[in-house]
Amino acid sequence: MQNNEVYKDINEDLKWAQINKDVLKSMENPRKGYWISVAVCLFLIMFAVVGEVYQYQVGMGAANLNWPHMWDLYIATFIFWIGMSHAGTLLSAILHIMNADWRKPIYRFAEAMTTFSLMTAGLFPMIHLGRLWNMYWVLPYLTDRGIWPNFRSPLVWDAFAISTYLTSSALFLFIGMIPDLAICRDNARGWRKKLYTALSLGWRGDDRQWRNFRRTYLIMACFLIPLAVSVHSIVSSDFAMSIMPGWSVTSFPPYFVAGALYSGCAAIITLFILLRYYFRWEEYMTIAILEKTAKLTFAIAMVWTYLNLIEFASVWYGHSAADKEVLLAKFSGPYAPFFWGMIFCGSVVPFALAFEKWRRHLPTMMVVSILLNIGMWLERWMIVTPTLSLSYHPIAHDVMWPSWVQWFIVLGSFGWFGLLFLIFVKVFPAVSMYECKEMVLHRRELANKEISPVMANNPGGGASIGGGSPAPGVANKSPGVEGS
Amino acid sequence: MKKCRILGLFGNFDDAFAAIGDFKNKKVDGITVDDVTFLSPIEHPDIDDVLGPRPSVIPKVTLCGAAFGITFGFLFLASAQSNFLIQPQGGKAIVPLPSNIVLTYEMMILFSVIFTVIAFLVTTRLFRKRKSLYSEKISLDQVAIEFEVDEKYIDQIKGVFKDNHAVEVREEVQT
């Protein structure tokens, strides 16, 4: 491990041309591990397809979904993926507004995570519906068939909030990528050249474009933050606005938002380590940045732990017999191993992040981040299922275990997300080249170094007035234009 | 008089800013800093000081988007709810304000973002055919100053570029 990796977010002597070269080259030439991951994702998707086809043929009973357990892993995993989507907002929007420039080399893939995890989450209401041919019924549109959306229902709010979030985050990802797409356009060949030319929209980097770009990006960041909070608050309302024991808790919205940020941060660490390895991005995804992300994750883990305790205390002191029964059942009932697994992974494991030595050790961080995400997935399951197994009426008391169909589809969702993400990082620059250049500029200013040595820097000479050779692919004259 | 476009490429920001300083100091009569188009791989933090304030209409458009989102969002929901007479309301309000506030809030954000993006696309003049001189080095590690001026200024501008160590100068004459 090099010293600059440990102590610096980025090497300020990195030449700008080198940044372009490194990132563009890596997109063409990932390590073998990348292709193995693609194969694993495809394999997982096959599981989901098998499960879904079987469920489609046999009916929802194949998933063990039956009253009172109408919601189970599908809804738990839906919440998990919605939560995961908060990673991009946190790393990109919140840290952007706070001027935390260490986010720059890693925010792009976090934004991509947001978009793809929302796309993955969006599949679950359809899968949960069972009758796929009626999937458009979940959309809150007005019809003359007598099926009108109940605007008072948080489920309809979900549809509004998630579609707004998906639209906004996809636009945020795309807008932030335009200058890098122009770099790709200027260097690519073949189909990539055509793709980047279309997507870069004619960006050339003039002062008007940069000025408006910055304003747009900042404004969108400002809107994404309250939007992200509202999305997960609304998802929590699916539970908190019901009268089910264990769900009707006032602290649910902040608890959900903290959980979302937590799982998002943990996933960022996992993907950080994988991308760093796949694409040889040691110069950009540095240990210093990983440490900062880990510290942020630790802080959020403690917030989440505190909110968990608050929830338990509210139930305990609330003296609602049904709520207490659900809580005690979580501690010692049939789902207790999963509940304590959640507590261990979500509240104990993060203490590993408090140690500098482990924060800098990639294999440890990989294991920790995966455990954190397992904990966060268990959290969602432990929200949904124990309550449904111990409702107010004894007739509704029923312990249910998900069938293989549910497990296959849940596993497949990880494959689906992974595949979308891996395709994205192969086709688009997952490290923001222009922002790495900005970072180098700022770090050099802080170190009282001139920026010239990392730029083209040809002061005082070499001027080929009127006769400079154009860059490859650029004509100095064009039809109807007279050259000098 | 024919219109010309001229572009000077510089190896670093200092040389380019020095050239802009010369245009600010009226080294070329008839050319001011307002005529300068500055192209760069990043937005330099001092660019506003160098070029002077150049306002953007995007925040205003965003505000319009937010106002539209609130108005349209609420009216859309309220009109849908008012027209729906089949579902039993059970004594509840036909237009429920608490839930409509949540949905109107989402619509406000959605339309604010959409208006902002549209304003960005329009004000940055994207989607236009690239008529200007362009060098791929600008997306790499060089900066450039571009003018669209009468032909009579070209030699003087070239001189300023040369004095400030331009790496390359390109020009086009419109026929």
Side-chain angles (χ1 to χ4, degrees), chain A residues 20 142 151-152 157 185-186 201 204-208 210-212 214-216 223 226-227 230 434 437 450 455-457 460 462-464 470-472 474 480 482 484, chain B residues 11 14 38-43 54 56 58 62 80-81 89 92-93 99 105-106 112 120 123 125-127 132 134 136 139-142 146 165-167 170-171 173 175:
Chain A
N20 280 19
L142 312 175
F151 290 105
R152 294 189 190 88
W157 305 356
R185 172 200 64 203
D186 291 347
L201 308 177
R204 60 193 200 115
D206 67 41
D207 57 280
R208 170 193 287 270
W210 279 117
R211 190 171 55 253
N212 289 312
R214 281 288 164 220
R215 294 243 162 91
T216 302
F223 277 110
L227 179 59
S230 78
Y434 71 95
K437 290 173 187 172
E450 291 283 321
M455 292 179 67
N457 189 37
S464 53
V474 171
E482 184 186 321
S484 62
Chain B
D14 292 339
F38 185 72
L39 298 98
S40 56
I42 64 165
E43 188 185 35
R54 293 182 174 184
S56 167
I58 289 179
T62 305
Q81 290 154 348
Q89 299 297 318
K92 293 175 190 160
S99 54
Y105 176 79
E106 298 297 329
S112 302
F120 166 74
T123 57
R125 297 176 181 171
L126 293 172
F127 288 122
S132 65
Y134 180 74
E136 290 168 4
S139 68
L140 186 69
D141 57 1
Q142 294 190 9
E146 188 188 50
H165 318 304
V167 179
R170 297 175 174 201
E171 60 184 282
V173 180
T175 52

Coordinates of all heavy atoms in Angstrom, one line a residue, chain A residues 20 142 151-152 157 185-186 201 204-208 210-212 214-216 223 226-227 230 434 437 450 455-457 460 462-464 470-472 474 480 482 484, chain B residues 11 14 38-43 54 56 58 62 80-81 89 92-93 99 105-106 112 120 123 125-127 132 134 136 139-142 146 165-167 170-171 173 175:
Chain A
N20 N -7.9 11.1 -17.6 CA -8.7 10.7 -18.7 C -8.3 9.3 -19.2 O -9.1 8.4 -19.4 CB -8.6 11.6 -19.9 CG -9.4 12.9 -19.8 OD1 -9.8 13.2 -18.7 ND2 -9.6 13.6 -20.9
L142 N -56.1 7.4 -13.4 CA -57.6 7.5 -13.3 C -58.2 6.7 -14.4 O -57.8 6.9 -15.6 CB -58.0 8.9 -13.3 CG -57.2 9.8 -12.3 CD1 -57.6 11.3 -12.5 CD2 -57.4 9.4 -10.9
F151 N -56.5 8.1 -2.9 CA -55.4 9.1 -2.6 C -55.1 9.2 -1.1 O -54.1 9.8 -0.8 CB -55.8 10.4 -3.2 CG -55.8 10.5 -4.7 CD1 -56.9 10.5 -5.4 CD2 -54.6 10.5 -5.4 CE1 -56.9 10.5 -6.8 CE2 -54.5 10.5 -6.7 CZ -55.7 10.5 -7.5
R152 N -55.9 8.6 -0.3 CA -55.6 8.7 1.2 C -54.6 7.6 1.6 O -54.1 7.6 2.7 CB -56.9 8.5 2.0 CG -57.8 9.7 1.8 CD -58.9 9.5 2.9 NE -60.0 10.5 2.6 CZ -61.0 10.2 1.8 NH1 -61.1 9.0 1.2 NH2 -61.9 11.1 1.5
W157 N -49.3 7.1 -2.4 CA -48.2 8.1 -2.2 C -46.9 7.5 -2.6 O -46.0 8.1 -3.2 CB -48.1 8.5 -0.7 CG -49.3 9.1 -0.1 CD1 -50.5 9.3 -0.7 CD2 -49.5 9.4 1.3 NE1 -51.5 9.8 0.2 CE2 -50.8 9.9 1.4 CE3 -48.7 9.5 2.4 CZ2 -51.4 10.3 2.6 CZ3 -49.2 9.9 3.6 CH2 -50.5 10.4 3.7
R185 N -16.8 10.9 -25.7 CA -17.0 11.2 -27.2 C -15.8 11.5 -27.9 O -15.5 11.1 -29.0 CB -18.0 12.4 -27.3 CG -18.3 12.9 -28.7 CD -18.9 14.3 -28.6 NE -17.9 15.2 -28.0 CZ -18.3 16.4 -27.5 NH1 -19.5 16.7 -27.4 NH2 -17.3 17.2 -27.0
D186 N -14.9 12.4 -27.2 CA -13.7 12.8 -27.9 C -12.7 11.7 -28.0 O -11.6 11.9 -28.7 CB -13.1 14.0 -27.1 CG -14.0 15.2 -27.2 OD1 -14.9 15.2 -28.1 OD2 -13.8 16.2 -26.5
L201 N -24.8 15.5 -25.9 CA -25.7 16.6 -26.3 C -24.9 17.8 -26.9 O -25.4 18.9 -26.8 CB -26.5 17.0 -25.2 CG -27.3 16.0 -24.4 CD1 -28.1 16.7 -23.2 CD2 -28.3 15.3 -25.3
R204 N -19.4 21.2 -25.0 CA -18.0 21.5 -25.4 C -17.2 22.2 -24.3 O -16.1 22.6 -24.4 CB -18.0 22.4 -26.7 CG -18.7 23.7 -26.6 CD -19.0 24.3 -27.9 NE -19.2 25.7 -27.7 CZ -18.5 26.7 -28.1 NH1 -17.4 26.5 -28.8 NH2 -18.8 28.0 -27.8
G205 N -17.9 22.5 -23.2 CA -17.2 23.0 -22.0 C -17.0 24.5 -22.0 O -16.0 25.0 -21.4
D206 N -17.9 25.2 -22.6 CA -17.7 26.7 -22.5 C -18.2 27.3 -21.2 O -18.9 26.6 -20.5 CB -18.3 27.4 -23.8 CG -19.8 27.3 -23.9 OD1 -20.4 27.5 -22.8 OD2 -20.3 27.1 -25.0
D207 N -17.9 28.5 -21.0 CA -18.2 29.1 -19.6 C -19.7 29.1 -19.4 O -20.2 29.0 -18.3 CB -17.6 30.5 -19.5 CG -18.0 31.4 -20.5 OD1 -17.5 31.4 -21.6 OD2 -18.9 32.2 -20.3
R208 N -20.5 29.4 -20.4 CA -21.9 29.4 -20.3 C -22.4 28.0 -19.8 O -23.3 27.9 -18.9 CB -22.6 29.8 -21.6 CG -24.1 29.6 -21.7 CD -24.6 29.7 -23.1 NE -24.5 31.1 -23.6 CZ -25.5 31.9 -23.5 NH1 -26.6 31.6 -22.9 NH2 -25.4 33.1 -24.0
W210 N -20.7 25.6 -18.3 CA -20.3 25.2 -17.0 C -21.1 26.0 -15.9 O -21.4 25.4 -14.9 CB -18.8 25.6 -16.8 CG -17.9 24.5 -17.4 CD1 -17.0 24.7 -18.4 CD2 -17.7 23.2 -16.9 NE1 -16.3 23.5 -18.6 CE2 -16.7 22.6 -17.7 CE3 -18.4 22.4 -16.0 CZ2 -16.4 21.2 -17.6 CZ3 -18.0 21.1 -15.8 CH2 -17.0 20.5 -16.6
R211 N -21.3 27.3 -16.2 CA -22.0 28.1 -15.2 C -23.5 27.5 -15.0 O -23.9 27.3 -13.8 CB -22.1 29.5 -15.7 CG -22.6 30.5 -14.7 CD -22.5 32.0 -15.3 NE -23.1 32.2 -16.6 CZ -22.5 32.3 -17.7 NH1 -21.2 32.3 -17.8 NH2 -23.1 32.5 -18.8
N212 N -24.1 27.3 -16.1 CA -25.5 26.7 -15.9 C -25.5 25.3 -15.4 O -26.4 24.9 -14.7 CB -26.2 26.8 -17.3 CG -26.6 28.3 -17.6 OD1 -27.1 29.0 -16.8 ND2 -26.2 28.7 -18.8
R214 N -23.4 24.0 -13.3 CA -23.2 24.1 -11.8 C -24.5 24.5 -11.1 O -24.9 23.9 -10.1 CB -22.1 25.1 -11.4 CG -20.7 24.6 -11.6 CD -20.4 23.6 -10.6 NE -19.2 22.8 -11.0 CZ -19.1 21.5 -10.8 NH1 -20.0 20.8 -10.3 NH2 -18.0 20.9 -11.2
R215 N -25.2 25.5 -11.6 CA -26.4 25.9 -11.0 C -27.5 24.7 -11.0 O -28.1 24.5 -10.0 CB -27.0 27.1 -11.8 CG -26.2 28.3 -11.6 CD -26.9 29.5 -11.0 NE -25.9 30.5 -10.5 CZ -25.6 31.5 -11.2 NH1 -26.1 31.7 -12.4 NH2 -24.7 32.4 -10.8
T216 N -27.5 24.1 -12.2 CA -28.5 23.0 -12.3 C -28.2 21.9 -11.4 O -29.1 21.4 -10.7 CB -28.5 22.5 -13.8 OG1 -28.7 23.6 -14.7 CG2 -29.5 21.4 -14.0
F223 N -33.1 19.7 -4.3 CA -34.4 19.1 -4.4 C -34.3 17.6 -4.0 O -35.3 17.0 -3.5 CB -35.0 19.2 -5.8 CG -35.7 20.6 -5.9 CD1 -35.1 21.5 -6.8 CD2 -36.8 20.8 -5.2 CE1 -35.8 22.7 -6.9 CE2 -37.4 22.1 -5.4 CZ -36.9 23.0 -6.2
P226 N -34.6 16.6 0.2 CA -36.0 16.5 0.8 C -36.8 15.4 0.1 O -37.6 14.7 0.7 CB -36.6 17.8 0.6 CG -35.8 18.5 -0.5 CD -34.4 18.0 -0.4
L227 N -36.5 15.2 -1.2 CA -37.2 14.1 -1.9 C -36.9 12.8 -1.4 O -37.8 11.9 -1.1 CB -36.9 14.2 -3.4 CG -37.6 13.2 -4.3 CD1 -39.1 13.3 -4.2 CD2 -37.1 13.3 -5.8
S230 N -38.5 12.3 1.9 CA -40.0 12.1 1.8 C -40.3 10.7 1.3 O -41.2 10.1 1.7 CB -40.6 13.2 0.9 OG -40.4 12.9 -0.5
Y434 N -14.0 14.8 -14.8 CA -13.8 16.3 -14.6 C -13.8 16.7 -13.2 O -13.1 17.6 -12.8 CB -14.9 17.0 -15.4 CG -16.3 16.9 -14.8 CD1 -16.8 17.9 -13.9 CD2 -17.1 15.9 -15.1 CE1 -18.0 17.8 -13.4 CE2 -18.4 15.8 -14.5 CZ -18.8 16.8 -13.7 OH -20.1 16.7 -13.1
K437 N -10.4 16.1 -11.8 CA -9.5 17.2 -12.2 C -9.7 18.4 -11.3 O -8.7 19.0 -10.8 CB -9.8 17.6 -13.6 CG -9.3 16.6 -14.7 CD -9.8 16.9 -16.1 CE -9.5 15.8 -17.0 NZ -10.1 16.1 -18.4
E450 N 1.4 25.1 -8.1 CA 0.8 25.6 -9.4 C 0.0 24.5 -10.1 O 0.4 23.3 -9.9 CB 1.9 26.1 -10.4 CG 2.7 27.3 -9.9 CD 1.8 28.5 -10.2 OE1 1.2 28.6 -11.2 OE2 1.9 29.5 -9.3
M455 N -1.4 20.2 -16.0 CA -2.1 20.5 -17.3 C -1.2 20.3 -18.5 O -0.1 19.8 -18.3 CB -2.7 21.9 -17.3 CG -3.8 22.0 -16.2 SD -4.5 23.7 -16.2 CE -5.3 23.8 -17.8
A456 N -1.6 20.7 -19.7 CA -0.8 20.5 -20.8 C 0.5 21.3 -20.7 O 1.6 20.9 -21.1 CB -1.5 21.0 -22.1
N457 N 0.4 22.5 -20.1 CA 1.5 23.3 -19.7 C 2.6 23.4 -20.8 O 3.6 22.7 -20.7 CB 2.2 22.7 -18.4 CG 3.2 23.7 -17.9 OD1 3.0 24.9 -18.0 ND2 4.3 23.2 -17.4
G460 N 5.0 29.8 -23.0 CA 6.0 30.5 -23.6 C 6.5 30.0 -25.0 O 7.3 30.6 -25.6
G462 N 6.0 27.0 -28.5 CA 5.2 26.0 -29.2 C 4.0 26.5 -29.8 O 3.2 25.8 -30.4
A463 N 3.7 27.9 -29.8 CA 2.5 28.4 -30.4 C 2.6 28.2 -31.9 O 3.5 28.7 -32.5 CB 2.4 29.9 -30.0
S464 N 1.6 27.6 -32.4 CA 1.6 27.4 -33.8 C 0.4 28.2 -34.4 O -0.6 27.7 -34.7 CB 1.4 25.9 -34.2 OG 0.3 25.4 -33.5
P470 N -4.8 20.1 -36.0 CA -6.0 19.8 -35.2 C -5.8 18.5 -34.5 O -5.1 17.6 -34.9 CB -7.1 19.8 -36.2 CG -6.4 19.5 -37.5 CD -5.1 20.0 -37.4
A471 N -6.6 18.3 -33.4 CA -6.6 17.1 -32.7 C -7.3 16.0 -33.6 O -8.0 16.3 -34.6 CB -7.5 17.2 -31.5
P472 N -6.9 14.7 -33.4 CA -7.5 13.7 -34.3 C -9.0 13.8 -34.4 O -9.6 13.9 -33.4 CB -7.0 12.4 -33.6 CG -5.9 12.8 -32.7 CD -6.1 14.2 -32.3
V474 N -10.7 16.1 -35.6 CA -11.3 17.4 -35.7 C -10.7 18.1 -36.9 O -9.5 18.2 -37.1 CB -11.0 18.2 -34.5 CG1 -11.4 19.7 -34.6 CG2 -11.7 17.6 -33.3
G480 N -17.9 25.1 -46.6 CA -18.5 26.4 -46.4 C -17.8 27.3 -45.5 O -18.2 28.4 -45.2
E482 N -14.0 29.0 -44.7 CA -12.7 29.3 -45.3 C -11.6 29.3 -44.2 O -11.7 30.0 -43.2 CB -12.8 30.6 -46.0 CG -11.5 31.0 -46.7 CD -11.7 32.5 -47.2 OE1 -12.8 32.9 -47.7 OE2 -10.7 33.2 -47.1
S484 N -7.9 29.9 -42.4 CA -7.1 31.1 -42.3 C -5.9 30.9 -43.3 O -5.4 29.8 -43.5 CB -6.6 31.3 -40.9 OG -5.8 30.2 -40.6
Chain B
G11 N -2.1 26.2 -22.6 CA -1.6 25.0 -21.8 C -2.0 25.1 -20.3 O -1.9 24.1 -19.6
D14 N -3.4 30.2 -16.2 CA -2.7 31.5 -16.0 C -2.6 32.2 -17.3 O -2.9 33.4 -17.4 CB -1.4 31.3 -15.3 CG -1.6 30.8 -13.9 OD1 -2.7 31.0 -13.3 OD2 -0.6 30.2 -13.3
F38 N -15.1 31.2 -22.9 CA -13.9 30.5 -22.3 C -14.3 29.0 -22.2 O -15.3 28.7 -21.7 CB -13.7 31.1 -20.9 CG -12.5 30.5 -20.3 CD1 -11.2 30.9 -20.7 CD2 -12.6 29.6 -19.2 CE1 -10.1 30.3 -20.1 CE2 -11.5 29.1 -18.6 CZ -10.2 29.5 -19.0
L39 N -13.4 28.2 -22.8 CA -13.7 26.8 -22.8 C -12.6 26.1 -21.9 O -11.4 26.4 -22.0 CB -13.6 26.2 -24.2 CG -14.7 26.7 -25.2 CD1 -14.1 27.8 -26.0 CD2 -15.2 25.6 -26.1
S40 N -13.1 25.1 -21.1 CA -12.1 24.5 -20.2 C -12.6 23.1 -19.8 O -13.8 22.8 -19.9 CB -12.0 25.3 -18.9 OG -13.3 25.5 -18.3
P41 N -11.7 22.2 -19.3 CA -12.1 20.9 -18.9 C -12.9 20.9 -17.6 O -13.6 19.9 -17.3 CB -10.8 20.1 -18.8 CG -9.7 21.1 -19.1 CD -10.3 22.4 -19.2
I42 N -12.7 21.9 -16.8 CA -13.4 22.0 -15.6 C -13.9 23.5 -15.4 O -13.4 24.3 -16.2 CB -12.6 21.7 -14.3 CG1 -11.4 22.7 -14.2 CG2 -12.1 20.3 -14.4 CD1 -10.8 22.6 -12.8
E43 N -14.7 23.7 -14.5 CA -15.1 25.1 -14.2 C -14.1 25.7 -13.2 O -14.1 25.2 -12.0 CB -16.5 25.3 -13.7 CG -16.9 26.7 -13.6 CD -18.3 26.9 -13.0 OE1 -18.6 26.2 -12.1 OE2 -19.0 27.8 -13.4
R54 N -22.0 36.8 -14.9 CA -22.9 36.5 -16.1 C -24.1 35.7 -15.5 O -24.0 34.6 -15.1 CB -22.1 35.6 -17.1 CG -21.0 36.4 -17.8 CD -20.3 35.6 -18.8 NE -19.3 36.4 -19.5 CZ -18.6 36.0 -20.5 NH1 -18.7 34.8 -21.0 NH2 -17.8 36.8 -21.1
S56 N -27.6 33.8 -14.6 CA -28.3 32.6 -15.1 C -29.8 32.7 -14.8 O -30.1 33.1 -13.7 CB -27.7 31.4 -14.5 OG -28.4 30.2 -14.8
I58 N -31.7 30.1 -14.6 CA -32.2 28.8 -14.2 C -32.9 28.8 -12.9 O -34.0 28.2 -12.7 CB -31.0 27.7 -14.2 CG1 -30.6 27.4 -15.6 CG2 -31.4 26.5 -13.4 CD1 -29.4 26.5 -15.8
T62 N -36.7 27.4 -12.2 CA -36.9 26.4 -11.2 C -38.1 26.8 -10.3 O -39.0 26.1 -10.0 CB -35.7 26.2 -10.3 OG1 -34.6 25.8 -11.1 CG2 -35.9 25.1 -9.3
A80 N -59.6 15.3 -10.0 CA -59.8 13.9 -10.1 C -60.7 13.4 -9.0 O -61.7 12.7 -9.2 CB -58.5 13.1 -10.0
Q81 N -60.4 13.9 -7.8 CA -61.2 13.5 -6.6 C -62.7 14.0 -6.7 O -63.6 13.3 -6.3 CB -60.6 14.0 -5.3 CG -59.3 13.2 -5.0 CD -58.3 14.0 -4.2 OE1 -58.5 15.2 -4.0 NE2 -57.2 13.4 -3.7
Q89 N -67.5 7.8 0.1 CA -66.5 8.6 0.9 C -66.7 8.4 2.4 O -65.8 8.8 3.1 CB -66.7 10.1 0.5 CG -66.5 10.5 -0.9 CD -65.1 10.2 -1.3 OE1 -64.2 10.5 -0.6 NE2 -64.9 9.6 -2.5
K92 N -66.0 11.2 4.7 CA -64.7 11.9 4.7 C -64.7 13.0 3.6 O -65.5 12.9 2.7 CB -63.6 10.8 4.4 CG -63.4 9.8 5.5 CD -62.4 8.8 5.1 CE -62.4 7.7 6.1 NZ -61.8 6.4 5.5
A93 N -63.7 13.8 3.7 CA -63.7 14.9 2.7 C -63.4 14.4 1.3 O -62.7 13.4 1.1 CB -62.5 15.9 3.1
S99 N -53.6 14.3 2.7 CA -52.9 13.5 1.7 C -52.5 14.2 0.5 O -51.5 14.0 -0.2 CB -53.7 12.2 1.4 OG -55.0 12.7 1.0
Y105 N -46.6 18.0 -2.7 CA -45.2 18.2 -2.4 C -44.3 17.4 -3.4 O -43.3 17.9 -4.0 CB -44.9 17.7 -1.0 CG -43.5 17.7 -0.5 CD1 -42.9 18.9 -0.1 CD2 -42.8 16.5 -0.5 CE1 -41.6 18.9 0.4 CE2 -41.5 16.5 0.0 CZ -40.9 17.7 0.4 OH -39.6 17.7 0.9
E106 N -44.7 16.2 -3.7 CA -44.0 15.4 -4.7 C -44.1 16.0 -6.1 O -43.1 16.0 -6.8 CB -44.6 13.9 -4.7 CG -44.5 13.2 -3.4 CD -43.0 12.9 -2.9 OE1 -42.1 12.8 -3.8 OE2 -42.8 12.9 -1.7
S112 N -40.3 20.9 -10.5 CA -39.1 21.8 -10.3 C -37.9 21.2 -11.0 O -37.1 21.9 -11.7 CB -38.8 22.0 -8.8 OG -39.9 22.5 -8.1
F120 N -31.8 24.1 -18.2 CA -30.4 23.8 -18.4 C -30.1 23.5 -19.9 O -29.2 24.1 -20.5 CB -30.0 22.7 -17.6 CG -28.7 22.0 -17.9 CD1 -27.5 22.7 -17.6 CD2 -28.6 20.8 -18.6 CE1 -26.3 22.1 -18.0 CE2 -27.4 20.3 -18.9 CZ -26.2 20.9 -18.6
T123 N -30.6 26.9 -21.9 CA -29.6 28.0 -21.7 C -28.2 27.6 -22.0 O -27.4 28.5 -22.3 CB -29.7 28.5 -20.2 OG1 -29.4 27.3 -19.4 CG2 -31.0 29.1 -19.8
R125 N -27.5 25.9 -24.5 CA -27.5 25.8 -26.0 C -27.0 24.4 -26.4 O -26.2 24.3 -27.4 CB -26.6 26.9 -26.6 CG -27.2 28.2 -26.3 CD -26.4 29.3 -26.8 NE -27.0 30.6 -26.5 CZ -26.4 31.8 -26.7 NH1 -25.2 31.8 -27.2 NH2 -27.0 32.9 -26.4
L126 N -27.3 23.4 -25.7 CA -27.0 22.0 -26.1 C -28.0 21.7 -27.2 O -28.9 22.4 -27.5 CB -27.2 21.1 -24.9 CG -26.2 21.3 -23.8 CD1 -26.5 20.4 -22.6 CD2 -24.8 20.9 -24.2
F127 N -27.8 20.6 -27.8 CA -28.6 20.1 -28.9 C -28.4 20.9 -30.2 O -29.0 20.6 -31.2 CB -30.2 20.1 -28.6 CG -30.6 19.1 -27.6 CD1 -31.2 19.4 -26.4 CD2 -30.3 17.7 -27.8 CE1 -31.6 18.5 -25.5 CE2 -30.7 16.8 -26.9 CZ -31.4 17.1 -25.7
S132 N -19.0 25.8 -33.7 CA -17.7 26.5 -33.3 C -16.5 25.7 -33.5 O -16.6 24.5 -33.8 CB -17.8 26.8 -31.8 OG -17.9 25.6 -31.1
Y134 N -13.6 23.6 -32.3 CA -13.5 22.8 -31.0 C -12.3 22.0 -31.1 O -11.9 21.5 -32.2 CB -14.8 22.0 -30.9 CG -14.7 21.1 -29.7 CD1 -15.0 21.6 -28.4 CD2 -14.4 19.7 -29.7 CE1 -14.9 20.9 -27.3 CE2 -14.4 18.9 -28.6 CZ -14.6 19.5 -27.4 OH -14.6 18.7 -26.3
E136 N -10.4 18.7 -29.2 CA -10.6 17.6 -28.2 C -9.6 17.8 -27.0 O -9.8 17.2 -26.0 CB -10.3 16.3 -28.9 CG -11.5 15.9 -29.8 CD -11.1 14.8 -30.7 OE1 -10.1 14.2 -30.5 OE2 -12.0 14.5 -31.6
S139 N -11.3 18.9 -23.7 CA -11.8 18.0 -22.7 C -10.7 17.2 -22.0 O -10.9 16.4 -21.2 CB -12.8 17.0 -23.4 OG -12.1 16.2 -24.3
L140 N -9.5 17.5 -22.5 CA -8.3 16.7 -21.9 C -7.6 17.6 -20.8 O -7.9 17.5 -19.6 CB -7.3 16.4 -23.0 CG -6.2 15.5 -22.6 CD1 -6.6 14.1 -22.3 CD2 -5.2 15.4 -23.8
D141 N -6.8 18.5 -21.2 CA -6.1 19.3 -20.2 C -5.7 20.7 -20.7 O -4.7 21.3 -20.2 CB -4.8 18.5 -19.8 CG -3.9 18.2 -21.0 OD1 -4.2 18.6 -22.1 OD2 -2.9 17.6 -20.8
Q142 N -6.4 21.2 -21.7 CA -6.1 22.6 -22.2 C -7.3 23.4 -22.1 O -8.4 22.9 -22.0 CB -5.6 22.5 -23.6 CG -4.3 21.8 -23.8 CD -3.7 22.0 -25.2 OE1 -4.1 22.8 -26.0 NE2 -2.6 21.2 -25.4
E146 N -12.4 31.7 -27.1 CA -13.0 31.8 -28.5 C -13.7 33.1 -28.7 O -14.3 33.6 -27.8 CB -14.0 30.6 -28.6 CG -14.5 30.4 -30.0 CD -15.6 29.4 -30.0 OE1 -16.6 29.5 -29.3 OE2 -15.6 28.5 -30.9
H165 N 1.3 33.2 -24.9 CA 1.7 31.8 -25.0 C 0.7 30.8 -25.4 O 0.6 29.7 -24.8 CB 2.4 31.4 -23.7 CG 3.3 32.4 -23.1 ND1 4.3 33.0 -23.7 CD2 3.2 32.9 -21.8 CE1 4.9 33.9 -22.9 NE2 4.3 33.9 -21.8
A166 N -0.2 31.2 -26.4 CA -1.1 30.2 -26.8 C -0.4 29.1 -27.5 O 0.6 29.2 -28.2 CB -2.1 30.9 -27.9
V167 N -0.9 27.9 -27.2 CA -0.3 26.7 -27.8 C -0.7 26.5 -29.2 O 0.1 26.0 -30.0 CB -0.8 25.5 -27.0 CG1 -0.2 24.2 -27.5 CG2 -0.4 25.6 -25.5
R170 N -6.8 28.5 -33.9 CA -7.6 28.0 -35.0 C -8.5 29.1 -35.4 O -9.0 29.8 -34.5 CB -8.3 26.8 -34.6 CG -7.5 25.6 -34.2 CD -8.4 24.5 -33.7 NE -7.6 23.3 -33.5 CZ -8.1 22.1 -33.4 NH1 -9.4 21.9 -33.6 NH2 -7.3 21.1 -33.2
E171 N -8.8 29.2 -36.6 CA -9.8 30.2 -37.0 C -10.7 29.7 -38.2 O -10.3 28.8 -39.0 CB -9.1 31.5 -37.4 CG -8.2 31.4 -38.5 CD -7.4 32.7 -38.8 OE1 -8.1 33.6 -39.4 OE2 -6.3 32.8 -38.4
V173 N -13.5 31.3 -41.2 CA -14.2 32.5 -41.8 C -15.5 32.0 -42.4 O -15.5 31.1 -43.1 CB -13.3 33.1 -42.9 CG1 -14.0 34.4 -43.5 CG2 -11.9 33.5 -42.3
T175 N -18.4 32.0 -44.9 CA -18.6 32.5 -46.2 C -20.0 33.1 -46.4 O -20.9 32.7 -45.7 CB -18.4 31.4 -47.2 OG1 -19.2 30.3 -46.9 CG2 -16.9 31.0 -47.3

